[in-house]
Structure formats: C-alpha cells, structure tokens
Amino acid sequence: MTTRLDTEADIQSTAQVSVAPQFDRIALIGFGLIGGSIARAARQQGLAKEIVATARSAATRARVIELGLVDRVVETNGEAVKDADLVILCIPVGACGAVAQEIAGHLKRGAIVSDVGSVKGAVVQDMAAHLPANVHFVPAHPVAGTEHSGPDSGFAELFINRWCILTPPEGVESSAVEKLRTFWAALGARVEIMTPEHHDLVLAITSHLPHLIAYTIVGTADELAQVTSSEVIKFSAGGFRDFTRIAASDPIMWRDVFLANKEAVLEMLGTFNEDLSRLTRAIRRGDGEALFDHFSRTRAIRRGIVEIGQDSAAPDFGRPHAQLEKKAD
Ligand code: NAP
C-alpha cells in the first residue's frame, strides 16, 4: 500500500489502518461525487488490482473513460459486478433497490456488497430483499460531501478525517465488516458501526434537517416581495450565503433522502418547530436573556466541532484572495 501523509489529519486517520485490504476487483456502480472520490482515493492507496465502473448514462461513462480514473468502464450494472470482490452502489438511495435486483444474479459468491446512501433503513430493506445469501451485505454511509455532483466533482481527499458509518445487518460475517472497515480507513475515514435506525435518526438532525432548512430559507428569500432578489444576492454575506451553498446540493439525491427518511425527519422537524416557537416567543416578548442563553449554548457546540477537527476556525471571507489584494492596491 502506498501511504501519502500530507496533513496532520491524514496522519491521525491513517494511523487506524492496520492491514491494507487487497481487493482483486472493485466495482463502482454510479460515478458522481462519491463514486468518483472512492475511485480516486482507492487508486491512490492501491486498494484494488482492478477498478471497474459503470454509470447510468452514456455521457457519464464516456467522461469516466476520459478522466482515466478506473481500469475499465462497462455499459451495464451486471457486467460491472462480474467477478468483483467488492461492489459499491454510489447512486441515489431511491435507485438502490432496483439496481440490487438487477445485479443479484451476476454477483460473485462471497463478494462484499455495499452502498454509500445517506439513508440506511429504507436502503437496507430495499437492497436486502434482492441480494443472494452467498454475498456479504455491509451498507455504508461516508459522512462527507460537497454541494457538487457528477464525475468531475470527486477528489481523493474527500473522506480524510470524516466519519464513515457502517450498518451491517444482524448475522453478517464479521470478517466482511472488518474488511470494509479497513477499506474505508484506508481511504482516510474514521469508521463507526450503528444500526440503520439509529443512523437515520442521527443524520436526520445533523444533515437532513439542516438541508431542509437551507432549501426553505433560500426559497423564502426568493419569493420575498419587500426585498429584491438583487439585494438578497448583494448582501448575502450576512448569513444567507452559507445557506445557499447547502441549498445548491443535488435535487435528486435530496428528494430521495427525504422520501426515504420520512419518519426520522418528521420527528426531528417536530422538535425543531417547538424550539423555533420558543425563540419566536422570546423575540416577541423581548426576552433577551432567553435569546442570549440559547445563542451561548449553540456557540459552545460550534466550538466543540472545531475542537474535534470537523471544521476550521479560520475566517471564511468567501472571496478569492486576488480580489482582496486588488482592493489593497
Ligand atoms: P452524483 O454525483 O449525482 O452521482 C450519482 C450517480 O448515480 C451518477 O453516476 C448517476 O449516473 C447515477 N444515477 C443516478 N440516478 C440513477 C438511477 N436511477 N439508477 C442508476 N444510477 C443512477 O451523486 P453523489 O453525490 O455521488 O451521491 C451518490 C450517493 O451518495 C447517494 O446515495 C447519496 O445519498 C450518497 N452520499 C452523497 C453525499 C454528498 O454530499 N453528495 C455524501 C454522502 C453520501 P448518471 O451520471 O449517468 O446520471
């Protein structure tokens, strides 16, 4: 295995890798941000003798060939998984069941079959219904991403120092779980195991609800009558800009996430609405103490996230340095 240690974070996460997994053939179904990042990182780390990829459209498949990031690009999902030791579905969660059904008859005995879906309960159910008993199904979710999608958007460092959650169904062989854990650790991720139900609850509050709020606020600003669109864009650095980045995330992926994680999202949304009502009441009553206490608590949470290295405290000016230098002239 080749190990490139570029940053302190690399060193920290790579330290978890005990033995580099060697797969003879990895099959990636879907080649967007996540599939493309896995291909780049797996190749950089030498984790497979051969990486085979496919994507739904001919245009994406042609682009993957141009990028030269995998050994072979094939036209069908069935062809992709043939003789693969590790198969990873890197497609929207709503498509996983149908693709599992399509590949079921082509999988190699003893293969590890996984996915990267942002929702686990529904995906595990949809896929498990079709997979044969002689493969090891180990679902996964790398909690890492950007608002970009497509074959050009991936990068090898995406998973470094990020969490990857595995949700192995009961009874799956522990050696298969261990092999996938080692694979993700070699891509730079820290790995945690939990049940699909718990995963969906945790992600509903840490990822799904924030995206829903961002989608809402950007839509609301767009429909305002008293403030023009150009003013919203011009003064976006007041906080709005950060929401627009999240609200630019792929519409198909996020449609599927909310459809698949309906129960957990609705539960978190209920709690959120109660808290929002409390803050609304504090503003209406001029209750500065309640507002101050709440904002102090949330500031501590942000500092905690920075402390554990999941974000940087560096100021994000949101504009290229060139512009700053030009202004100083
Ligand atoms: P992406 O960049 O949009 O790529 C999606 C890929 O799936 C493309 O290759 C696309 O093929 C293919 N695809 C789309 N619909 C399909 C269908 N109905 N059947 C078969 N293939 C289909 O998406 P991504 O961001 O990599 O997300 C992929 C998965 O990763 C999703 O399940 C998502 O929940 C999960 N995830 C995403 C993030 C994130 O931040 N983006 C983070 C963690 C996990 P074409 O290009 O040919 O259309």
Side-chain angles (χ1 to χ4, degrees), residues 50-328:
E50 187 185 28
I51 301 178
V52 180
T54 189
R56 180 180 52 165
S57 68
T60 300
R61 293 196 297 272
R63 183 62 189 144
V64 180
I65 294 171
E66 273 171 18
L67 287 168
L69 296 167
V70 299
D71 300 287
R72 271 190 311 127
V73 176
V74 296
E75 290 201 2
T76 68
N77 296 333
E79 215 180 326
V81 305
K82 192 169 175 288
D83 293 328
D85 311 292
L86 173 62
V87 174
I88 310 180
L89 271 56
C90 307
I91 58 178
V93 293
C96 287
V99 170
Q101 184 173 26
E102 195 187 333
I103 61 174
H106 304 269
L107 291 164
K108 178 179 163 180
R109 172 186 287 270
I112 296 175
V113 179
S114 191
D115 73 312
V116 293
S118 308
V119 177
K120 294 273 63 91
V123 174
V124 171
Q125 222 174 6
D126 290 354
M127 287 181 67
H130 302 291
L131 296 176
N134 62 15
V135 301
H136 308 288
F137 179 35
V138 188
H141 175 207
V143 187
T146 73
E147 69 277 26
H148 303 296
S149 47
D152 287 274
S153 62
F155 52 101
E157 299 77 16
L158 178 64
F159 309 113
I160 291 177
N161 212 23
R162 295 284 175 248
W163 288 98
C164 180
I165 300 171
L166 306 186
T167 64
E170 242 173 72
V172 68
E173 258 183 41
S174 57
S175 60
V177 179
E178 203 42 45
K179 206 164 176 192
L180 196 67
R181 174 203 281 277
T182 314
F183 174 77
W184 276 104
L187 299 185
R190 307 195 218 174
V191 181
E192 187 145 319
I193 292 180
M194 57 179 77
T195 64
E197 296 72 29
H198 191 65
H199 166 279
D200 289 353
L201 216 50
V202 172
L203 269 292
I205 188 64
T206 57
S207 170
H208 307 169
L209 207 54
H211 276 81
L212 192 68
I213 292 166
Y215 281 126
T216 310
I217 201 166
V218 174
T220 304
D222 189 44
E223 283 157 22
L224 283 179
Q226 312 94 308
V227 181
T228 65
S229 303
S230 65
E231 283 173 316
V232 169
I233 293 165
K234 186 168 156 190
F235 300 114
S236 66
F240 185 71
R241 191 194 66 204
D242 293 344
F243 285 106
T244 60
R245 187 188 61 73
I246 298 178
S249 301
D250 188 65
I252 294 175
M253 169 186 157
W254 283 96
R255 175 202 64 192
D256 282 9
V257 165
F258 290 113
L259 293 178
N261 201 21
K262 180 175 160 182
E263 299 305 329
V265 169
L266 289 178
E267 187 178 332
M268 291 302 166
L269 206 49
T271 310
F272 174 80
N273 281 329
E274 284 170 20
D275 291 343
L276 191 60
S277 300
R278 249 194 304 280
L279 284 178
T280 309
R281 204 165 43 241
I283 293 170
R284 193 182 303 115
R285 291 178 180 169
D287 187 349
E289 199 180 327
L291 294 174
F292 180 81
D293 286 350
H294 189 90
F295 300 159
S296 300
R297 198 153 54 85
T298 57
R299 174 181 256 196
I301 292 170
R302 166 67 191 174
R303 287 182 175 163
I305 290 170
V306 172
E307 261 168 41
I308 62 165
Q310 290 297 299
D311 204 351
S312 154
D316 168 17
F317 295 112
R319 48 196 160 158
H321 287 289
Q323 276 184 22
L324 290 176
E325 280 159 18
K326 207 169 150 198
K327 277 213 166 126

